[in-house]
Amino acid sequence: MTEEEEVSVAVSQHDGSSGDEARDNASTSSAGGSKKRKRGRYQKTSCELCKARKVKCDRAEPACSWCARHNRACVYLERQKPGSRIGFSLELEAKVNRIDALLHTLGRRVEEHIADGHAAPPQTLSPAISTHAQSHIDPYAKERNRSSPASGAPRSTPSVAGGPPSALPGQGWDEGDQRQGRMSVQGMNVDYTNATLLPQRLRRGPSALSAGTDLPPQDIVYTLVDLYFKHCNTWSPILDRKTTFSIFFGSTSLSEADRVLLHAIVATTLRFLKDPRFSPEMRAHYHETSRQIVQMYAMEHVSVEALRALVIVCLDELGTSNGPRGWNLLSLLAQNARQLSLCEESSVYLSVETSDDAPMTGSIRRIAIDRPQSWIEDEGRRRLAWMVYLLDRYATIATTTFDFMLDDNKMKRVLPCSYDLFSRDIPVETRSWGSSPDQHGAAGLVVNKPDNLGSFSYHCEILRILSKVHDFLKTPLDITSSSEMAAWRNTYRSLDASLDSWLRGLPGDYSKISALCHSDPASRVANWFMLHSAYVTAVVRLHSSAAYPTVRSHLFVPSHYAMQRCLSAVQSLGDIAQDVYEASGLDHLGPPFIFSLWVAARLLLVHAATIGCPVDPRIEFFIEILGHVGQYWEVADNYAKVLARAVQRGRQGHMSFNAMRQSAHGLVTLTASTRQTGIEPTSTQITSLSELDNIDIFDFFNYPKISEPAVRALSGQSQLQNTTDGETARLPDPESDWLGFMPQGT
C-alpha cells in the first residue's frame, strides 16, 4: 500500500467508517458512481457502535441485534452520497499537511539525538504531542482484541502503540478478593529510526479512550485506573474493579457518562502517578481539565453516573483542602442523592410510557432514576449513597459549625455488604433498622446478617454513632442545672456504651487491631486501619467534651475517666500510624485517616492547655506523619504546618497553650454574635495568622455548648473560661469523678 493510500484509509476511519465500508466507498468512486447499487445503500449504513467495533451490523430497526442485546443506544448516520469530492479532497490535503508537519518535527528530533550521540529512548515522545498526532491521524482506531476471562483472572489490554500491560494489576491493602499483584506498564514503543512507520504505529495504538488532548495516553490512563483501586477504592468502595476495567478497556466504545467517570478517576489519582513523562505542568493541566469536565457534567445531569463521578472528584477536593469548594461539591452531592431517592430503599419506580421526553414539571422528580437492572447495580447505588453520607459526616464534623446535609432520620438505607460479595454479584442481606432505632440502632434492627458485612459496613455504622455524638454536643446545655446535667450524663453514657458495643461487634480480632497489627503483618489492610481511625475520632469527639470542657461550673469539671479514654485513643492511633509508616502504606490511607491524625494531634495540645504542662512529645510524630502523607493529600501538609507553628509558639514562650485556647474561644464567641436590628453597626476584627491557627486547633474542642441561662449565671465568673494556670496544672481526681462510672463487672 502506498503512503497516499495509507493516509486515505486513515481519513476514512476518521470519518467514522469501518474498513469494509471504506473499501465500498473507494470501489464506488472508481466505478464512476455505478447505478447497480440500490439507492437505499447510501441512506443507511452500519450503526455507529458496530462501526467502532469493526464488525458486521445487521442494520435492524429500531436497533441492531447487538445493541438490543447489550441495551446500548443504536445510532444510524446517513452515508455521504456520491458526488463532488472537492470538499473531501481539500480536507484530505489539510490532514496530509498536518501529518507531514508532525513527521518533520519528529524527524528533527531524531537528527538531534543522532547528532548528540545518544540513542533515542523508547518513550521520548511527549504525551501531549503523541495524543495530538493520534487524534489527527486516526482518532477512532481501536484495538479491542482482549481476552474476557470468565472469572476474575487477569486479562490483557492494549497500550498506546507499544503493547499492553501483561495483566490486570492487583490490589494492595484491600479486602479479601482484591489481592496484591504486580504490574508492568509498557510505554509508547515508538521506533524513531524508521519515521516512515510512525503513522502505522500511531494508527494501531489509540482508542476512543484517549482520542483527544483531554485525557493522558492510554497506558497512563490504565495505570491511573489501577492506582485508583489501589489507593482510593479500598476505603471508598463504590466501584467494582472487574466491571470498571471491562467498561474502560473492553471491546466497546465509552459512553459520555463512562468517559466522565474516567475523568474523575484521572483527576483524583494523578497525585499517585510516578511517571517521568509527566511534568508538573502536564499534571496540573490534566487534573484541571478532568476536574472541570466532571463538574460541568454533574451540573447538567442529575443521574447516578454523574453522582458517582462527582463523589470521586469530591475525594480529590477534600484531600486538597477542607474549604468552600469542597463544601459546594458536598451540597450538590447531598441534594442530588435526595433528588434521586438514593437515601431510601425504593421498591417501585415510575417510568414514562412513551419514548417522548418527560414533561419538565414537578413530576419529573419521580422519574429521575430507573429501577436497578441487577443486584450489583442496586448494591452500587447503596454504596454510593453511604459514601455521600460518609463525606458529609467527615466534612461537617471538621467544620464544627455546620449541620449535616443528610438527615440521619431520612437515611433509610440498609448497610452495604462486604466488597467480596459485591464484586462476585451475590445478592445477600446485611443489616437494616426500623423506623425508630436507638443510639446504636440495635433495638430497631429488622434484618441482621453480620456475616455479610465488611469494613465499609462497619465504617457506616460508626459514623451513625458519630453523627449522634455531634448532634448531642451541639445541643445547648445549662451546666448550672442539676436536672440538665443528669440528663446529659445519661445520654453521654449511652453513647459511650454504643461505641463499646460497636467495637466488640467487629469480626474476629479486628476489635483489637492495634495489637493485631504488631503480631500479624498480614493484617495490615488499609480499610481496617481507616475503620479504626474512625473509631478514634468518635471516641475523642465524645469524651473530650467531658475531659477538657471550655466552660466549667461546680457541676461540670474535667473528668478523669473521659481524659483517659481520649489519651488511650490517641496512643492507639499513634501505634497504628507507626506500623503503617514502617510498612510504607501511608499512601493507601485517605482523607478520613488524615482527619483522625489531625484530631489526635490537636487533643495533645488541648491536654497541655488544660493541665498546664508541656505538650506531649508524640505530637512531633503526628506532625511528621501528616507531612509525609501531605505529599499525596495536600490537606495533610496544611494540618502539619498549622500544628508546627502552634507548637513552636508555645515552646518559645510567645503564648501558652492555655492562652491560645482562650484566644480561640473569645474570637469564636465574638464572631457568633448577631445583630438584633438591621441598623445596628457592624465592625471588622483584624486577626493574625496565629489567631486563625488557634481557631483551627481549639475550636473543635469548644464543647459543651452553653445555653443562655448558663451564660447569664456564669457571667463575670472565672469559670466562663479555663481558669488560671495554677488552678489547671493538675490532673482530675479519679475518686471524685462526677461521671460516676462504675468498674465493669460490678
Side-chain angles (χ1 to χ4, degrees):
M1 183 183 292
T2 65
E3 182 174 351
E4 290 77 10
E5 291 172 334
E6 293 169 355
V7 174
S8 177
V9 172
V11 174
S12 298
Q13 294 176 345
H14 176 75
D15 291 336
S17 300
S18 65
D20 292 338
E21 292 167 341
R23 287 190 292 272
D24 290 343
N25 289 338
S27 63
T28 302
S29 177
S30 62
S34 174
K35 297 183 179 179
K36 294 181 180 180
R37 302 176 186 268
K38 295 181 180 181
R39 180 175 299 274
R41 178 170 180 79
Y42 298 103
Q43 302 300 323
K44 183 178 178 183
T45 67
S46 299
C47 76
E48 294 303 296
L49 283 179
C50 288
K51 286 180 185 178
R53 297 171 53 247
K54 297 188 177 180
V55 298
K56 186 175 181 180
C57 178
D58 60 9
R59 306 180 185 180
E61 290 285 357
C64 71
S65 59
W66 188 93
C67 292
R69 187 167 60 253
H70 293 83
N71 196 24
R72 302 296 292 269
C74 190
V75 179
Y76 294 99
L77 297 180
E78 292 185 359
R79 179 181 294 170
Q80 182 180 4
K81 295 182 179 181
S84 174
R85 310 298 287 171
I86 296 177
F88 174 82
S89 300
L90 293 176
E91 181 183 3
L92 175 61
E93 182 179 359
K95 291 182 179 180
V96 170
N97 290 337
R98 286 196 294 269
I99 295 171
D100 185 65
L102 288 170
L103 290 176
H104 279 295
T105 301
L106 295 173
R108 286 196 300 270
R109 292 190 176 188
V110 173
E111 293 175 357
E112 291 171 1
H113 278 286
I114 296 175
D116 293 338
H118 297 291
Q123 294 187 14
T124 53
L125 182 63
S126 77
I129 293 179
S130 67
T131 309
H132 179 76
Q134 295 158 7
S135 65
H136 283 298
I137 295 174
D138 188 8
Y140 296 105
K142 300 181 181 69
E143 284 188 14
R144 300 292 191 180
N145 300 323
R146 301 172 178 83
S147 61
S148 300
S151 63
R155 57 175 172 170
S156 299
T157 55
S159 66
V160 180
S166 58
L168 284 181
Q171 288 289 296
W173 297 70
D174 201 356
E175 294 194 59
D177 65 321
Q178 296 177 310
R179 304 301 181 186
Q180 186 167 4
R182 294 187 177 273
M183 171 183 177
S184 175
V185 178
Q186 299 181 11
M188 300 171 58
N189 189 19
V190 180
D191 186 359
Y192 292 100
T193 62
N194 191 351
T196 60
L197 296 180
L198 186 62
Q200 294 93 320
R201 300 256 179 137
L202 288 176
R203 185 180 304 122
R204 290 200 305 267
S207 69
L209 187 67
S210 57
T213 57
D214 58 345
L215 281 173
Q218 189 177 5
D219 63 325
I220 299 296
V221 171
Y222 188 96
T223 302
L224 289 171
V225 175
D226 174 68
L227 288 173
Y228 173 80
F229 282 93
K230 183 179 181 181
H231 293 275
C232 300
N233 204 67
T234 50
W235 48 268
S236 176
I238 61 175
L239 297 179
D240 172 53
R241 177 184 176 85
K242 181 179 176 181
T243 303
T244 304
F245 271 87
S246 176
I247 292 173
F248 289 158
F249 308 105
S251 59
T252 58
S253 300
L254 293 181
S255 65
E256 182 183 16
D258 293 336
R259 191 175 179 85
V260 169
L261 177 62
L262 185 59
H263 275 290
I265 292 176
V266 168
T268 302
T269 322
L270 274 171
R271 65 186 77 241
F272 301 110
L273 181 66
K274 298 177 181 179
D275 193 299
R277 288 176 288 173
F278 263 47
S279 64
E281 293 76 16
M282 291 173 59
R283 197 179 297 264
H285 162 74
Y286 284 120
H287 175 270
E288 185 63 20
T289 299
S290 292
R291 186 182 65 84
Q292 290 185 1
I293 287 174
V294 174
Q295 291 184 2
M296 289 301 298
Y297 185 84
M299 288 293 294
E300 297 176 358
H301 297 79
V302 181
S303 64
V304 172
E305 294 77 10
L307 189 67
R308 187 177 289 117
L310 194 62
V311 163
I312 296 175
V313 166
C314 196
L315 299 181
D316 170 72
E317 191 60 49
L318 294 178
T320 302
S321 173
N322 187 23
R325 290 208 316 188
W327 305 336
N328 289 342
L329 290 181
L330 277 173
S331 299
L332 186 58
L333 282 175
Q335 180 59 39
N336 285 0
R338 289 190 294 262
Q339 175 72 32
L340 296 171
S341 300
L342 290 180
C343 297
E344 57 190 23
E345 297 288 342
S346 301
S347 59
V348 178
Y349 296 81
L350 296 184
S351 179
V352 182
E353 275 188 0
T354 65
S355 59
D356 299 334
D357 291 337
M360 299 304 293
T361 63
S363 61
I364 191 68
R365 181 184 68 83
R366 301 187 180 276
I367 55 174
I369 185 174
D370 295 329
R371 71 179 183 89
Q373 300 300 312
S374 62
W375 182 86
I376 195 172
E377 182 181 353
D378 193 22
E379 174 68 10
R381 294 180 182 183
R382 187 174 296 115
R383 301 172 86 86
L384 181 61
W386 279 112
M387 196 62 207
V388 175
Y389 178 90
L390 182 146
L391 294 176
D392 176 33
R393 265 46 193 170
Y394 277 111
T396 303
I397 291 170
T399 58
T400 71
T401 57
F402 293 165
D403 295 323
F404 295 125
M405 300 180 195
L406 293 180
D407 190 343
D408 263 300
N409 294 327
K410 297 181 180 179
M411 188 64 183
K412 299 178 181 178
R413 277 287 192 180
V414 302
L415 289 178
C417 66
S418 68
Y419 192 89
D420 180 61
L421 296 173
F422 171 54
S423 62
R424 288 157 54 194
D425 194 9
I426 300 178
V428 294
E429 291 182 325
T430 54
R431 182 176 290 165
S432 61
W433 297 270
S435 57
S436 302
D438 64 3
Q439 299 286 359
H440 186 45
L445 286 177
V446 175
V447 176
N448 188 21
K449 303 287 185 180
D451 292 343
N452 297 328
L453 301 180
S455 62
F456 189 48
S457 318
Y458 291 106
H459 203 159
C460 297
E461 274 197 326
I462 191 66
L463 288 183
R464 287 179 70 98
I465 304 174
L466 183 56
S467 299
K468 296 183 181 300
V469 171
H470 183 74
D471 290 337
F472 163 65
L473 294 179
K474 288 188 65 176
T475 304
L477 172 67
D478 185 354
I479 60 176
T480 64
S481 169
S482 299
S483 59
E484 285 199 27
M485 284 302 304
W488 190 92
R489 181 170 58 180
N490 290 336
T491 305
Y492 176 94
R493 289 177 173 177
S494 176
L495 290 169
D496 184 38
S498 296
L499 290 172
D500 290 341
S501 175
W502 175 88
L503 188 63
R504 290 192 302 268
L506 292 180
D509 292 328
Y510 281 113
S511 59
K512 302 175 182 177
I513 191 171
S514 181
L516 179 65
C517 63
H518 290 288
S519 59
D520 183 11
S523 70
R524 294 190 174 101
V525 183
N527 42 2
W528 288 100
F529 287 139
M530 296 280 284
L531 182 64
H532 193 74
S533 71
Y535 171 74
V536 169
T537 300
V539 168
V540 172
R541 172 78 289 184
L542 174 64
H543 293 292
S544 62
S545 61
Y548 311 101
T550 306
V551 182
R552 305 179 187 180
S553 71
H554 66 287
L555 298 174
F556 203 127
V557 294
S559 165
H560 180 271
Y561 168 82
M563 192 174 291
Q564 294 306 310
R565 288 295 303 268
C566 290
L567 295 176
S568 296
V570 171
Q571 178 67 48
S572 173
L573 185 63
D575 292 342
I576 290 177
Q578 179 71 47
D579 291 329
V580 177
Y581 175 74
E582 292 174 356
S584 301
L586 286 174
D587 55 331
H588 297 77
L589 305 176
F593 187 83
I594 294 169
F595 179 68
S596 296
L597 294 173
W598 168 237
V599 169
R602 287 184 293 171
L603 183 119
L604 296 179
L605 292 176
V606 173
H607 182 80
T610 303
I611 304 303
C613 61
V615 65
D616 192 311
R618 285 180 297 177
I619 197 170
E620 299 290 351
F621 168 76
F622 283 109
I623 294 175
E624 180 183 356
I625 292 296
L626 285 169
H628 183 83
V629 183
Q631 62 182 306
Y632 305 104
W633 302 98
E634 186 180 339
V635 68
D637 191 55
N638 295 338
Y639 290 155
K641 291 176 180 177
V642 172
L643 290 168
R645 289 194 296 262
V647 171
Q648 183 180 21
R649 288 195 302 270
R651 288 176 174 171
Q652 291 179 351
H654 297 303
M655 179 180 286
S656 68
F657 296 119
N658 183 32
M660 293 181 192
R661 191 180 187 193
Q662 292 189 29
S663 171
H665 184 271
L667 286 173
V668 170
T669 303
L670 181 65
T671 55
S673 61
T674 58
R675 294 182 289 172
Q676 299 299 317
T677 68
I679 62 174
E680 289 185 25
T682 60
S683 63
T684 299
Q685 179 76 22
I686 304 299
T687 55
S688 63
L689 176 61
S690 61
E691 289 175 320
L692 294 178
D693 286 347
N694 294 339
I695 294 176
D696 285 339
I697 293 172
F698 293 105
D699 186 44
F700 185 81
F701 302 93
N702 281 340
Y703 290 95
K705 297 300 182 183
I706 308 302
S707 62
E708 285 297 326
V711 171
R712 291 193 297 269
L714 295 171
S715 179
Q717 299 182 23
S718 61
Q719 289 90 345
L720 187 60
Q721 299 273 343
N722 277 330
T723 51
T724 62
D725 288 342
E727 197 172 338
T728 60
R730 58 186 176 84
L731 288 170
D733 183 10
E735 299 296 331
S736 59
D737 197 318
W738 62 275
L739 288 176
F741 277 90
M742 298 297 293
Q744 293 185 359
T746 61

